[in-house]
Amino acid sequence: MAATTISVEQDQFCCSVCLDNLKDPVTIPCGHSYCLNCIEDYWNSPKQKGHYSCPQCRQVFNPKPLLCRNTVLAEVLEKLQRTTPRPSTPTQTKPGGGGDVKCSVCPGKKGKAVKACLTCARAFCAAHLKDHQDRFHKRHKLIPATEEFKERLCPHHNDKVLRMFCRGDQQPVCSQCVKNRHKGHETVPLEEERGAQQRKLQESSLKSVQKMKEAEKELRFAIRYIKHSTEAVVEESERVFTRLVRSIEKQSAELKELMRAQERAAVGQAEEQLERVQRELSELRRSSSELERLTHTEDHVLFIQKSKSLDFPVKSVEFPSTDALTYLMYKDMRGALANLKSTMDEALEREVIRVSDKVISLKETSNQTIQEQTQASKVKDPDVQKSEPKGRADFIQYHHDLTLDPNTVNPFLVFSDGGRGVTTLSEAQAYPEHPDRFTSWAQVLCRAGMAGRCYWEVEWTGNGGVSVGACYKNMSRSGGGSECKLGHNAKSWSLDCSYSATSFQHNKESMVINVPCFSRIGVYLDYRGGILAFYGVSDTMVLLHKAKATFTQPLHPGFWVGLGSTLKLI
């Protein structure tokens, strides 16, 4: 009779370790029961480290308790399993109500469902699941009986599974909804809609990744460009202020010399007057001595006769005006300083305007490059992506005013045309030593490094020929090896021109260019695009050679000039 009056939930006989029905139940000293294997595995785990505690109440036992099978509890479980079948495997549920899915077949009190059939739109406990599997074998698709199954049921028709997708209302629907609430709407199977959305998401993912890669590339270029542009501007500012300091030193020396000249003139005049005064003072002293001698004679006639020859004139002496001289010196100094300030202001204004124009040009070039690349990324035409200047007017917009660097010029080169041209002579010039100077090759570089889009032109004459090129700043300068010659190493590129032949040089490799000789050469640099192109300039722009490279530093225009030849910046 006692067995018939027991009323318990089957969940009360679950092991808190494996969450399944107790198997070979054992009861530990605190009163909680577990599967024999579960509690043994728990105590033997590395986390316990020899401590034996209850997984539920955390009570610690020392020494390890002796485990014995609880026969009474085992018999109760055996009877309970015979009256109410339980699932053979634990049910995985989502937090917050996953275990609320009940069997759709059980009469009266519903048992907990373990599987759900998407074909039948029903959930089954372990006992009814066996009947379903025996009836339909594997023709119906089963899923775990969790909240996911509830989400697959139509909220308006609980006995229908959501199998279609309404594209008009953008929501899953069942077959009954298609006939009623969504009649006339565009509906497709869920599998088809899932495939379409998956493809769309994958395309969006690829586009997003590509866009981020392009942004990363843009930012890396921007960082390099900012560094290179800053380096060029710093070099330019050093050159400007060096010129200003030299101008100040020169005017200071000239002002000092002017003061010394005024000093010498004033002192000379004062010394002449001093000599004249000293001569007259000597005459007066002789007359005073004669007068003293006559005062002691008793011969009155002699005194009167001799005294007529004595003369003591009172003369005025013109003294130099020291105040006027000091005022004149300060006036000259202030005038010189005013002229210096005016000259410096004009020079600074010219240089600031020139540097500002250069910075604006670099900025516009950079922005134009970014805009062109952004536009090119939207257009698939390869000709649009690789657009370059065509006519000379297109190149001139990227023109940079170059300045030759006297610290790099070889001793056998002499400047001309106000420092814009160089000519090679047979005699060395007395240039001061400098670590940037080319010691053997008749070469010279320009001051500023080029980055972004740049263009410059040169004109040459003479039988010795010239080389027009560009190089990194760290190219070697000392010695006569190939590491110091434009175009004969990995850090430089050059176009060799003579009346008999034209060739391109880079890293000890030479390429003959079968075109007539041009006396004017244009050089176009697309730093980001990795292009260094040489053009013959006449009525049209003739492409002589286009070199492609990945530039890692700003390029400094450089030139080699053969003996008897002259090269001039345009």
Side-chain angles (χ1 to χ4, degrees):
M1 293 294 294
T4 59
T5 61
I6 295 176
S7 176
V8 294
E9 287 292 336
Q10 195 170 0
D11 289 342
Q12 293 178 273
F13 299 95
C14 287
C15 174
S16 62
V17 177
C18 66
L19 303 179
D20 200 358
N21 293 336
L22 290 167
K23 299 175 183 177
D24 293 331
V26 295
T27 302
I28 60 177
C30 63
H32 292 108
S33 299
Y34 302 96
C35 301
L36 176 61
N37 291 335
C38 290
I39 193 63
E40 285 283 2
D41 293 339
Y42 178 77
W43 283 345
N44 291 332
S45 64
K47 293 183 180 180
Q48 291 301 306
K49 298 181 180 180
H51 296 282
Y52 308 103
S53 61
C54 175
Q56 289 180 270
C57 67
R58 304 300 180 185
Q59 183 176 346
V60 180
F61 312 109
N62 194 9
K64 179 180 179 182
L66 182 63
L67 299 176
C68 298
R69 187 171 183 268
N70 190 328
T71 55
V72 175
L73 186 56
E75 290 176 0
V76 172
L77 280 168
E78 185 177 356
K79 289 181 180 181
L80 190 61
Q81 287 175 353
R82 285 199 301 267
T83 58
T84 306
R86 298 291 295 168
S88 58
T89 57
T91 303
Q92 295 180 350
T93 62
K94 292 184 179 180
D100 293 335
V101 180
K102 302 297 182 181
C103 178
S104 304
V105 183
C106 288
K109 188 175 182 179
K110 303 291 186 179
K112 186 184 294 185
V114 294
K115 291 288 184 179
C117 177
L118 292 179
T119 306
C120 302
R122 289 185 172 187
F124 301 98
C125 64
H128 292 109
L129 177 63
K130 187 176 184 305
D131 295 339
H132 180 273
Q133 288 177 328
D134 292 341
R135 182 178 179 184
F136 297 103
H137 195 49
K138 296 183 179 180
R139 289 177 294 171
H140 289 190
K141 183 177 180 181
L142 299 176
I143 63 172
T146 61
E147 288 293 332
E148 181 182 357
F149 171 69
K150 287 185 177 182
E151 295 173 358
R152 295 197 179 193
L153 296 179
C154 179
H156 305 288
H157 309 91
N158 292 331
D159 59 339
K160 299 293 184 181
V161 178
L162 300 172
R163 302 181 185 279
M164 306 294 288
F165 185 83
C166 177
R167 289 183 171 173
D169 296 330
Q170 288 292 302
Q171 63 181 14
V173 295
C174 68
S175 58
Q176 191 65 31
C177 291
V178 172
K179 297 177 182 179
N180 299 326
R181 300 169 60 89
H182 298 269
K183 185 177 182 180
H185 294 184
E186 181 185 3
T187 57
V188 295
L190 279 176
E191 291 80 2
E192 181 180 340
E193 179 62 23
R194 180 260 175 89
Q197 292 192 13
Q198 181 174 330
R199 287 191 297 272
K200 185 177 179 180
L201 289 173
Q202 288 174 341
E203 291 175 0
S204 299
S205 174
L206 290 175
K207 289 181 180 179
S208 297
V209 171
Q210 183 64 28
K211 189 173 182 180
M212 289 299 103
K213 288 183 178 179
E214 292 176 358
E216 180 186 20
K217 185 178 179 182
E218 291 283 346
L219 289 173
R220 291 187 183 278
F221 169 77
I223 292 172
R224 286 202 314 273
Y225 187 82
I226 290 171
K227 290 182 178 179
H228 295 164
S229 300
T230 303
E231 181 181 351
V233 173
V234 168
E235 291 179 356
E236 191 75 6
S237 66
E238 289 180 353
R239 184 186 67 82
V240 171
F241 282 102
T242 299
R243 288 177 56 189
L244 291 175
V245 169
R246 289 176 180 173
S247 176
I248 292 173
E249 292 175 348
K250 179 181 178 182
Q251 297 214 22
S252 175
E254 292 176 353
L255 181 60
K256 288 179 181 179
E257 181 60 28
L258 176 63
M259 299 301 159
R260 295 302 182 189
Q262 292 178 351
E263 176 194 19
R264 288 193 295 270
V267 170
Q269 292 177 359
E271 288 178 346
E272 288 179 359
Q273 290 182 352
L274 178 61
E275 290 178 0
R276 185 164 53 251
V277 168
Q278 288 175 344
R279 287 196 300 271
E280 292 178 357
L281 183 61
S282 297
E283 291 294 331
L284 289 174
R285 285 173 179 170
R286 283 196 297 271
S287 297
S288 296
S289 299
E290 182 65 20
L291 177 61
E292 180 68 21
R293 188 178 63 80
L294 289 176
T295 56
H296 295 288
T297 183
E298 295 179 358
D299 188 348
H300 301 298
V301 175
L302 179 64
F303 179 85
I304 293 173
Q305 291 176 346
K306 292 290 185 183
S307 62
K308 292 180 179 180
S309 62
L310 297 177
D311 185 21
F312 296 95
V314 179
K315 295 182 178 181
S316 62
V317 178
E318 184 179 353
F319 296 97
S321 177
T322 55
D323 294 337
L325 179 61
T326 305
Y327 171 76
L328 179 62
M329 287 184 176
Y330 275 102
K331 181 180 178 181
D332 292 341
M333 181 185 69
R334 291 177 64 86
L337 291 177
N339 293 335
L340 174 62
K341 181 179 182 301
S342 177
T343 304
M344 287 183 60
D345 289 342
E346 293 176 0
L348 276 174
E349 185 176 0
R350 287 197 305 271
E351 293 294 341
V352 168
I353 292 174
R354 189 178 64 81
V355 174
S356 298
D357 291 342
K358 184 175 181 180
V359 171
I360 292 172
S361 175
L362 288 172
K363 181 179 179 181
E364 291 175 350
T365 300
S366 176
N367 292 338
Q368 183 174 357
T369 301
I370 293 175
Q371 291 175 0
E372 289 176 355
Q373 292 193 346
T374 303
Q375 184 66 23
S377 64
K378 299 178 182 179
V379 183
K380 296 183 179 180
D381 186 358
D383 294 332
V384 176
Q385 295 180 357
K386 299 179 181 179
S387 61
E388 295 179 8
K390 302 299 182 185
R392 188 167 183 268
D394 297 334
F395 285 97
I396 291 299
Q397 65 178 326
Y398 301 115
H399 178 263
H400 278 63
D401 189 17
L402 302 181
T403 304
L404 297 174
D405 187 357
N407 293 330
T408 66
V409 65
N410 179 263
F412 287 90
L413 290 174
V414 62
F415 286 111
S416 59
D417 294 313
R420 299 188 61 82
V422 284
T423 302
T424 302
L425 303 178
S426 57
E427 295 180 359
Q429 307 300 305
Y431 294 132
E433 293 186 2
H434 198 281
D436 292 340
R437 192 174 309 286
F438 288 101
T439 60
S440 297
W441 298 103
Q443 297 177 151
V444 62
L445 300 182
C446 291
R447 292 180 182 273
M450 300 289 107
R453 289 194 174 193
C454 311
Y455 177 76
W456 59 92
E457 286 184 3
V458 298
E459 196 169 46
W460 68 277
T461 58
N463 296 324
V466 297
S467 292
V468 180
C471 69
Y472 294 148
K473 187 176 181 180
N474 61 355
M475 188 182 80
S476 298
R477 314 292 174 87
S478 178
S482 59
E483 69 277 4
C484 304
K485 180 71 168 71
L486 282 173
H488 289 249
N489 50 71
K491 297 180 180 180
S492 63
W493 299 257
S494 73
L495 185 77
D496 294 353
C497 304
S498 67
Y499 292 137
S500 59
T502 305
S503 63
F504 172 76
Q505 308 285 339
H506 174 61
N507 202 16
K508 299 182 180 180
E509 294 184 0
S510 178
M511 179 183 299
V512 177
I513 302 173
N514 296 317
V515 294
C517 173
F518 284 86
S519 60
R520 179 174 290 195
I521 304 296
V523 184
Y524 170 70
L525 169 65
D526 182 355
Y527 186 88
R528 178 164 194 171
I531 296 174
L532 182 65
F534 299 88
Y535 290 85
V537 182
S538 57
D539 295 335
T540 59
M541 300 289 289
V542 179
L543 178 62
L544 303 178
H545 184 77
K546 180 189 294 184
K548 290 185 173 293
T550 301
F551 302 119
T552 58
Q553 302 176 36
L555 291 180
H556 288 253
F559 313 100
W560 172 86
V561 184
L563 181 62
S565 292
T566 298
L567 181 141
K568 180 182 177 182
L569 298 174
I570 303 301

